[in-house]
Amino acid sequence: MSPLPLPRMVRYTTRRLLLLVPVALGAAVITFVLLLLLPGDPAIALLGQEASGPEIARFRNLLGLDRPVPIQLGLYLWRMARGDFGRSITLDAPVLRLILSTLPATLELAIFSITLAVVGGIPLGLLAARRRGTAVDTTTMLLAQLGVSMPVFWLGVLLILLFAVKLNWLPSFGRGAPLVAALVSGNAGLIMDSLRHLILPGFTLAFFNLALLSRLTRWALLEVLEEDYVRTARAKGQRERIVLYRHALRNALLPIVTIVGLQFGNALGGAVVTETIFGWPGMGRLVVQAIGQRDFPVVQGAVLVLALLFSLFNVLVDLTYAFIDPRIRYG
Amino acid sequence: MMLRRLTPSAKAGMAVLFVIILAAAVPVLFTRVNPDELDIMARLSPPSAGHPIGTDHIGRDLLSRLVYGARVSLLVAVASVGGAVAIGVLLGLLAGYYGRWADGTIMRLVDVFLAFPAILLALALVAALGAGITSVIAALVLVFWTQYARVVRAVTLAEKEKAYVEAARAIGAGDVRILARHIFPNVLSPVIILATLGMGTAVVAESALSFLGMGVQPPAPSWGWTLAFGTRYLRDAPHIATFSGLAIMATVLGFNLLGDGIRDLLDPKFRPQ
């Protein structure tokens, strides 16, 4: 498979990246509107009824709430563009610092969960496709159907119940040493501690994607196996293994790669629930805690950063797809 | 006739949904106990003759909480998917049919909404609107409408170029008539498939929001809330989290099986060989 010609690829990449600008602007407007949606005076809604007059006035001035809405929006967008996300009301720290301190934990969990989903989901789908119509196929797809129907938070609770409460094998709360740092240190104890903390939240977050990937792999492979070139390969007398791995799987992998990329973005969103269940100190938990404490600058900043990361991953998926699939010709 | 052509798994999904809809519509068929009735002496008790699947943390009958909770889940699912379909179909038709600035504006709006992971946007919206059933429905409508708009736009773009639309225009049919009488019926199939699968997603989303404390507020019997409280008593009363989660999963599974079955039926690409 030859990739797209370079100039065309550069043009396409630039265009896709430039399209991110209006999306980012729109996403920032939505996070701004969140503040307007708060019932009554946002300053009182954020500070509480017991706040004093001067406190409210200072706060209004701090957030620019004492100005007309279009000016507020302009100031907000300007601050966001400069990376100034304001200060947390409850933690009295810059929002950006809070985001940067929790982002690595979220990325670690998302990457670990996607790895689990790929390592488990693709072979299962392959197995089901190879044994199409047999009990193996039926059982695998039944499990996959259960997997995509199972609420993440319930799975998390069941895993805690079994592996933390009943068997006492794995911790149910918190994060060990950062995995990358543990791996770099080479300390086996640290690595084990890190992995032990990662397993339950990682598997919880991975399960839906694993089930979805196994279904998609089976479907994509069965589609490809119907193609003429597969029939030709078989007619040439090639062994089934070669037909499956060299001819069918390579082409079936294209939609799978796309979905894996999109799932990584979804894992960032899904982390909101998983991190809360397992007390994982990432951005998802930061958002939920900030919502509970009505700390809106944190909510706005964290939601915007997650949305930007999510959009960026989606663009990267598009680019990867265009790069590896020569059938796609973008103008 | 259509029913007979559904796959066995789709029929199984329908059967599960039938039981859940029946529970929501006529709860007394399943339980005679008031879902708010307290039996404080029996709090956290395991399944017994008096309480077939046990009680919750303040002694309310769990079966009754879950049966009445089906109303909340289904109400949110129907209202949010209904609202999303209405907005998505209308905007998708307008974008696909009129093209140019209408298409540009609507699709850029879709891109902006799609920039957010779904549950995160729903959570942020409910946080701003204030927890409660109306806020949850409004937030889910705003999260879900984009997928209908995208699909309907794509179908409309293809359909409006076809000869029958040109013929309708030639005999003097106006835009509204062409959209309503000719193009709209063609967008129904993908919308029905998406909406059926979307109902399952809405049930999970409502439960997740309630689980995080931002959804339907107590004392309303919400499955997500019951599950959230159940997690606090995992050691002493695992039945609360187990059964409430099972109720959510059964409903989602029902919608997924039915949705897959309808897709198999309506989309020839998915029809079993």
Side-chain angles (χ1 to χ4, degrees):
Chain A
M1 283 184 276
S2 62
L4 280 175
L6 199 61
R8 210 168 199 183
M9 194 65 212
V10 170
R11 210 168 51 229
Y12 177 65
T13 307
T14 316
R15 199 162 62 93
R16 289 296 286 123
L17 287 174
L18 280 177
L19 274 176
L20 263 183
V21 177
V23 169
L25 207 64
V29 171
I30 288 189
T31 55
F32 171 77
V33 170
L34 288 177
L35 200 64
L36 296 185
L37 288 175
L38 287 174
D41 183 342
I44 297 175
L46 294 175
L47 289 176
Q49 294 289 347
E50 63 278 3
S52 66
E55 262 182 324
I56 293 173
R58 194 182 66 85
F59 189 73
R60 275 211 191 101
N61 185 263
L62 188 75
L63 290 186
L65 295 172
D66 48 357
R67 307 198 188 178
V69 171
I71 305 276
Q72 284 183 41
L73 175 62
L75 286 173
Y76 177 80
L77 293 178
W78 176 238
R79 281 199 297 118
M80 295 292 136
R82 286 183 301 143
D84 174 10
F85 293 77
R87 287 185 78 79
S88 158
I89 297 169
T90 53
L91 299 170
D92 196 30
V95 172
L96 188 62
R97 195 200 300 162
L98 293 173
I99 290 172
L100 291 178
S101 65
T102 49
L103 183 61
T106 296
L107 289 178
E108 178 181 296
L109 184 60
I111 292 169
F112 185 74
S113 83
I114 286 297
T115 310
L116 282 183
V118 170
V119 169
I122 295 180
L124 274 179
L126 195 68
L127 183 72
R130 283 185 64 181
R131 307 273 177 87
R132 189 189 188 184
T134 65
V136 175
D137 181 23
T138 313
T139 314
T140 314
M141 285 306 107
L142 194 70
L143 285 175
Q145 183 63 266
L146 283 177
V148 294
S149 304
M150 189 178 249
V152 166
F153 44 94
W154 189 48
L155 176 68
V157 168
L158 291 182
L159 290 178
I160 289 176
L161 186 63
L162 181 64
F163 291 103
V165 176
K166 298 272 185 214
L167 299 171
N168 210 10
W169 284 357
L170 293 165
S172 65
F173 198 83
R175 182 190 186 203
L179 186 59
V180 176
L183 288 171
V184 169
S185 78
N187 182 328
L190 269 185
I191 297 171
M192 276 309 289
D193 179 57
S194 182
L195 286 175
R196 275 167 51 80
H197 281 88
L198 256 174
I199 288 174
L200 289 186
F203 186 73
T204 302
L205 192 55
F207 196 62
F208 177 87
N209 289 334
L210 193 155
L212 197 66
L213 261 185
S214 66
R215 282 172 58 140
L216 184 84
T217 305
R218 176 185 180 273
W219 176 78
L221 208 60
L222 289 180
E223 281 264 298
V224 170
L225 285 173
E226 299 288 316
E227 299 283 340
D228 288 341
Y229 63 83
V230 171
R231 202 169 300 133
T232 309
R234 280 186 178 139
K236 274 164 50 187
Q238 285 196 329
R239 275 177 297 157
E240 191 59 23
R241 270 185 91 82
I242 305 279
V243 171
L244 200 67
Y245 292 105
R246 191 172 296 169
H247 297 279
L249 187 62
R250 271 179 74 170
N251 284 289
L253 273 177
L254 288 170
I256 296 169
V257 166
T258 315
I259 293 295
V260 170
L262 294 176
Q263 282 180 340
F264 187 79
N266 282 327
L268 291 176
V272 172
V273 180
T274 313
E275 288 179 2
T276 305
I277 300 169
F278 290 95
W280 188 262
M283 276 184 77
R285 184 156 164 257
L286 178 74
V287 171
V288 173
Q289 282 178 338
I291 285 173
Q293 294 160 340
R294 304 191 69 72
D295 193 345
F296 254 74
V298 175
V299 177
Q300 288 175 306
V303 168
L304 183 59
V305 169
L306 281 172
L308 295 181
L309 278 175
F310 185 64
S311 307
L312 190 65
F313 275 113
N314 287 349
V315 171
L316 289 179
V317 170
D318 273 4
L319 295 178
T320 315
Y321 199 47
F323 190 73
I324 61 177
D325 190 348
R327 287 170 295 189
I328 295 179
R329 290 284 180 265
Y330 292 97
Chain B
M1 193 62 193
M2 285 279 273
L3 269 182
R4 217 175 295 161
R5 285 168 54 206
L6 280 175
T7 57
S9 59
K11 283 178 187 162
M14 262 182 94
V16 171
L17 289 178
F18 177 73
V19 173
I20 291 161
I21 292 168
L22 199 64
V26 200
V28 287
L29 285 177
F30 296 83
T31 176
R32 300 259 170 206
V33 184
N34 182 327
D36 296 324
E37 193 180 300
L38 302 181
D39 184 359
I40 207 78
M41 300 302 287
R43 63 189 290 273
L44 300 177
S45 58
S48 62
H51 303 289
I53 56 170
T55 60
D56 71 3
H57 60 294
I58 49 173
R60 293 172 299 194
D61 182 66
L62 193 57
L63 177 66
S64 172
R65 298 290 297 169
L66 295 184
V67 165
Y68 280 87
R71 282 185 175 184
V72 175
S73 283
L74 290 184
L75 172 69
V76 172
V78 170
S80 58
V81 171
V85 166
I87 296 175
V89 168
L90 182 67
L91 293 182
L93 282 171
L94 294 178
Y97 189 74
Y98 288 107
R100 294 167 184 262
W101 66 267
D103 189 27
T105 312
I106 292 169
M107 294 326 286
R108 289 302 77 75
L109 200 60
V110 166
D111 286 344
V112 168
F113 273 86
L114 284 177
F116 295 88
I119 188 71
L120 188 69
L121 181 58
L123 190 66
L125 285 167
V126 176
L129 293 166
I133 198 162
T134 319
S135 305
V136 171
I137 293 170
L140 294 182
V141 167
L142 287 172
V143 170
F144 292 149
W145 71 274
T146 50
Q147 51 180 322
Y148 300 98
R150 286 222 301 195
V151 168
V152 170
R153 171 187 176 267
V155 177
T156 308
L157 275 176
E159 291 299 320
K160 77 169 182 182
E161 301 299 335
K162 291 191 176 164
Y164 73 92
V165 172
E166 212 167 300
R169 199 173 288 130
I171 58 168
D175 288 348
V176 175
R177 188 181 167 85
I178 290 174
L179 277 170
R181 293 286 297 273
H182 299 287
I183 295 180
F184 179 69
N186 286 294
V187 307
L188 275 179
S189 286
V191 167
I192 290 171
I193 296 166
L194 269 184
T196 312
L197 294 168
M199 296 279 269
T201 312
V203 168
V204 174
E206 183 275 315
S207 304
L209 290 172
S210 297
F211 183 83
L212 294 172
M214 296 308 300
V216 177
Q217 295 297 294
S222 151
W223 290 345
W225 257 109
T226 311
L227 179 51
F229 271 102
T231 58
R232 298 182 195 174
Y233 304 97
L234 273 186
R235 204 174 284 274
D236 302 320
H239 63 273
I240 303 176
T242 309
F243 285 114
S244 48
L246 212 53
I248 301 168
M249 194 181 87
T251 313
V252 179
L253 185 64
F255 280 120
N256 283 352
L257 289 174
L258 183 61
D260 284 351
I262 296 176
R263 187 191 52 201
D264 291 346
L265 201 67
L266 297 179
D267 188 340
K269 208 169 82 182
F270 292 98
R271 211 165 281 160
Q273 303 290 306

